[in-house]
């Protein structure tokens, strides 16, 4: 079945693939960090009770969640040059896109997390004289974050898989690197299989970690 | 920002063709709906089977379900699409492989549908499993105590309840099927994403092109949502809280 396959191409292409994987990981890490920070702010805005802030945040989250990520990637890639006047590289454009897009998803997770902390905790914070930001920063958010850790991680696994979509604008991630080396060595089939294996190995081990975390958190509670 | 708006672009003819851009967009919408709906049928059938298998008594069957879910859930949809399109034909017997590569009609459409269907089936399977496990075990015992076989217990007792409970998460998977169908452009299906990219290149009207596709995607997802919530109301189990 694999008789006419030549997997000897894989060691040859490793350095290039590694560069691609590094970009995928960097994109994931950037979008995760930025997305969680921005998402938390969006969640706080939505829960603040303020009409203007709440409406803006709800609109932002709902809009981005109902559009395919691929379209969002294209939007940013084509729109940024129109606004700034000069083209931005696909790699950089993807960083911005993913951060802003993932923020919408992390926001919903953080909102659920904040709502999972009992109301009395906020009152307790105020009662001992803390300001809003102190209450959030020292009392509510640490608990919300911890409760939602497995869900945040699961979202990050999805985010890592979604980084492969930068293919559409030609950024050199793991998949693109595999495709390029596959073409160069004329072994595209082997390289596609290899990229699938790498994605699987990373996502599967992360999902095992989530399972483990879920158990630990369940015991502590 | 200097951008030349031209909303009339949709009624202009595409150079070197009789079609207007509006015709293009409608074609794109057709392919998007076709891929998403057919993939959803595959996902629902296979996802139900695999999700159910993960809850049965037999260990090997549970294993089959687990491997299925982990395999299709942990590889990005775009990579899976390329595997089905570029790799799988190479693994087929020689004659079949040649036929797939050269003569198979609608190759792109069938590949995209299969890939998206299998990818989504893993997610559906997880929901089905969660639905079955959320039922009290008394229901299963009641079925078995009545003299039903395990298969009959599933058919008449467990699944009719489980499916009605998981309609809300299935709704979001159905909407996701539309959104994820956007990857089909990568192997040349002329869906909304493909068409809007093409239109950006041909006409240079970036915002109009992308907006048309985006709005249609949102409408598709909303329509999917409405259909599912209609089914949800009709199949509501009396005595249980109905989510709004």
């Amino acid at each position: 079945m694999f008789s006419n396959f030549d997997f000897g191409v894989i060691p040859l292409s490793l350095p290039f693939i590694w560069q691609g994987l590094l970009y995928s990981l960097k994109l994931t890490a950037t979008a995760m960090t930025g997305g969680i920070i921005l998402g938390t702010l969006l969640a706080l805005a939505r829960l603040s009770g303020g009409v203007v802030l709440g409406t803006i945040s709800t609109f932002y989250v709902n809009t981005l969640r109902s559009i395919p990520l691929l379209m969002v990637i294209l939007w940013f890639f084509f729109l940024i040059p129109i606004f700034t006047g000069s083209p931005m590289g696909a790699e950089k454009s993807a960083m911005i896109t993913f951060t802003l897009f993932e923020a919408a998803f992390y926001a919903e997770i953080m909102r659920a997390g904040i709502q999972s902390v009992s109301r009395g905790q906020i009152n307790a914070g105020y009662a001992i004289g803390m300001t809003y930001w102190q209450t959030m920063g020292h009392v509510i958010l640490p608990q919300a974050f911890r409760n939602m850790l497995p869900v945040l991680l699961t979202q990050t696994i999805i985010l890592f898989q979604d980084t492969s979509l930068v293919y559409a604008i030609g950024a050199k991630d793991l998949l693109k690197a595999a495709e390029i080396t596959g073409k160069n060595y004329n072994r595209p089939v082997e390289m596609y299989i290899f990229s699938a294996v790498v994605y699987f190995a990373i996502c599967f081990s992360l999902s095992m970690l989530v399972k483990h975390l879920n158990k630990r958190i369940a015991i502590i509670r | 920002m200097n951008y030349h708006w031209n909303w009339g672009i949709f009624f202009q003819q595409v150079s070197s063709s009789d079609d207007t851009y509006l015709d293009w967009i409608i074609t794109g919408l057709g392919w998007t709906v076709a891929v998403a709906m057919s993939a959803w049928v595959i996902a629902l059938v296979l996802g139900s089977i695999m999700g159910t298998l993960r809850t049965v008594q037999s260990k090997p069957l549970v294993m089959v379900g687990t491997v299925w879910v982990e395999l299709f859930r942990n590889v990005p949809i775009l990579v899976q699409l390329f595997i089905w399109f570029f790799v799988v034909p190479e693994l087929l017997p020689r004659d079949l492989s040649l036929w797939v590569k050269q003569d198979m009609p609608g190759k792109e459409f069938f590949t995209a549908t299969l890939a998206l269907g299998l990818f989504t089936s893993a997610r559906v399977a997880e929901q089905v499993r969660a639905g079955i496990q959320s039922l009290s075990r008394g229901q299963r015992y009641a079925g078995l105590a009545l003299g039903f076989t395990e298969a009959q217990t599933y058919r008449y007792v467990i699944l009719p309840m489980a499916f009605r409970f998981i309609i809300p998460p299935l709704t979001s998977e159905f909407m996701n099927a539309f959104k994820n169908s956007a990857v089909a452009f990568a192997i040349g299906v002329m869906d909304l994403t493909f068409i809007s990219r093409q239109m950006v290149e041909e006409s240079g009207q970036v915002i109009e092109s992308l907006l048309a596709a985006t709005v249609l995607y949102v409408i598709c997802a909303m329509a999917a949502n409405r259909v599912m919530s209609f089914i949800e109301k009709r199949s509501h189990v009396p005595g249980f809280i109905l989510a709004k």
Side-chain angles (χ1 to χ4, degrees):
Chain A
M1 188 176 191
F2 287 96
S3 53
N4 50 352
F5 282 31
D6 178 10
F7 286 99
V9 61
I10 292 170
L12 293 175
S13 58
L14 271 183
F16 196 66
I17 295 283
W18 176 243
Q19 288 303 316
L21 177 61
L22 269 188
Y23 174 72
S24 293
L25 292 174
K26 222 167 79 184
L27 180 55
T28 309
T30 314
M32 181 184 73
T33 322
I36 289 179
I37 295 171
L38 191 58
T40 306
L41 292 176
L42 283 166
L44 286 176
R46 186 152 179 192
L47 293 171
S48 68
V51 178
V52 179
L53 271 181
T55 314
I56 293 175
S57 154
T58 310
F59 178 77
Y60 181 89
V61 170
N62 288 345
T63 310
L64 281 182
R65 278 165 56 97
S66 54
I67 306 174
L69 172 55
L70 250 176
M71 289 308 294
V72 183
I73 293 173
L74 293 180
W75 269 112
F76 276 88
F77 185 63
F78 288 121
L79 269 193
I80 292 175
I82 292 180
F83 277 102
T84 61
S86 61
M88 178 183 262
E91 277 81 8
K92 245 175 153 182
S93 164
M95 293 267 179
I96 300 174
T97 312
F98 272 81
T99 306
L100 294 178
F101 183 79
E102 290 302 322
F105 287 81
Y106 285 120
E108 284 298 90
I109 299 172
M110 285 314 290
R111 186 164 70 101
I114 294 168
Q115 284 175 329
S116 75
V117 180
S118 87
R119 232 197 134 73
Q121 305 255 352
I122 299 183
N123 297 337
Y126 286 149
I128 56 174
M130 284 184 173
T131 64
Y132 173 80
W133 288 108
Q134 283 173 326
T135 312
M136 284 300 160
H138 295 298
V139 182
I140 308 297
L141 288 181
Q143 299 185 66
F145 205 76
R146 207 191 107 164
N147 290 348
M148 286 296 130
L149 200 55
V151 192
L152 288 170
L153 251 174
T154 305
Q155 180 61 36
T156 306
I157 299 175
I158 297 174
L159 160 63
F160 176 64
Q161 290 193 13
D162 282 346
T163 57
S164 62
L165 296 179
V166 297
Y167 178 89
I169 53 173
K172 282 196 201 66
D173 70 327
L174 172 57
L175 177 60
K176 192 78 190 174
E179 196 188 59
I180 292 173
T181 44
K183 277 203 181 111
N184 286 350
Y185 292 104
N186 203 18
R187 287 280 163 200
V189 171
E190 288 83 344
M191 291 317 295
Y192 282 128
I193 295 179
F194 181 58
S195 70
V197 170
V198 174
Y199 276 113
F200 180 83
I202 295 174
C203 296
F204 185 69
S205 19
L206 276 176
S207 73
M208 289 294 113
L209 178 72
V210 172
K211 236 184 211 158
H212 179 72
L213 258 176
N214 258 328
K215 271 192 199 126
R216 278 197 52 175
I217 287 185
I219 292 168
I220 292 168
R221 287 163 120 203
Chain B
M1 173 181 164
N2 51 5
Y3 182 79
H4 296 284
W5 295 92
N6 179 11
W7 290 104
I9 186 73
F10 293 108
F11 302 103
Q12 279 174 25
Q13 255 179 21
V14 183
S15 55
S16 76
S17 143
D18 291 338
D19 296 344
T20 60
Y21 284 107
L22 186 65
D23 294 334
W24 269 25
I25 297 276
I26 291 169
T27 311
L29 177 64
W31 283 114
T32 291
V33 171
V35 170
M37 297 286 275
S38 339
W40 180 244
V41 174
I42 297 177
L44 213 49
V45 173
L46 290 177
S48 305
I49 295 172
M50 292 300 161
T52 308
L53 285 189
R54 293 190 78 182
T55 64
V56 297
Q57 297 296 317
S58 147
K59 284 265 156 62
L61 287 181
V62 173
M63 201 59 205
V64 170
T66 310
V67 169
W68 180 277
V69 169
E70 296 298 348
L71 208 56
F72 288 111
R73 210 174 47 160
N74 285 313
V75 177
I77 171 70
L78 191 55
V79 178
Q80 289 190 32
L81 187 64
F82 285 161
I83 295 276
W84 287 109
F85 196 70
F86 295 114
V87 178
V88 172
E90 302 292 336
L91 303 177
L92 298 171
R94 200 169 162 275
D95 292 344
L96 191 60
S97 167
L98 277 178
W99 178 77
V100 168
K101 278 190 261 183
Q102 291 166 2
D103 303 324
M104 187 178 166
K107 183 189 177 199
E108 292 82 6
F109 168 73
F110 286 114
T111 311
T113 303
L114 182 71
L116 182 61
L118 295 179
F119 176 80
T120 313
S121 81
R123 281 136 206 274
V124 171
E126 278 303 87
Q127 307 297 355
V128 170
R129 179 176 72 120
I132 293 173
Q133 285 174 343
S134 75
L135 296 179
S136 88
R137 63 180 71 189
Q139 301 241 350
R140 181 191 298 261
Y141 295 153
L144 294 174
L146 281 172
F148 284 164
T149 61
E150 194 183 12
Q152 284 173 325
T153 310
Y154 270 99
R155 165 67 186 81
Y156 296 107
V157 182
I158 299 176
L159 291 181
M161 288 293 275
F163 268 108
R164 289 191 276 186
F165 285 136
I166 58 167
I167 291 177
L170 282 187
T171 303
S172 23
E173 284 313 327
F174 191 24
M175 294 166 75
N176 281 341
F178 278 94
K179 289 196 276 171
N180 290 332
S181 75
V183 297
F185 91 93
I187 57 169
V189 177
M190 303 231 285
D191 71 336
L192 279 173
T193 306
F194 187 95
I195 293 287
S196 64
R197 268 165 57 110
Q198 201 71 15
M199 190 173 159
V200 167
E201 264 167 37
E202 290 272 331
S203 70
Q205 298 300 125
V206 175
I207 297 181
E208 292 87 339
S209 311
L210 292 180
L211 198 62
T214 305
V215 167
L216 288 174
Y217 271 118
V218 173
I219 292 176
C220 282
M222 289 298 134
N225 181 300
R226 289 295 93 201
V227 170
M228 291 299 277
S229 83
F230 175 74
I231 296 174
E232 187 182 342
K233 289 220 177 73
R234 291 298 294 265
S235 62
H236 165 231
V237 187
F240 286 87
I241 296 165
L242 179 66
K244 211 169 32 148

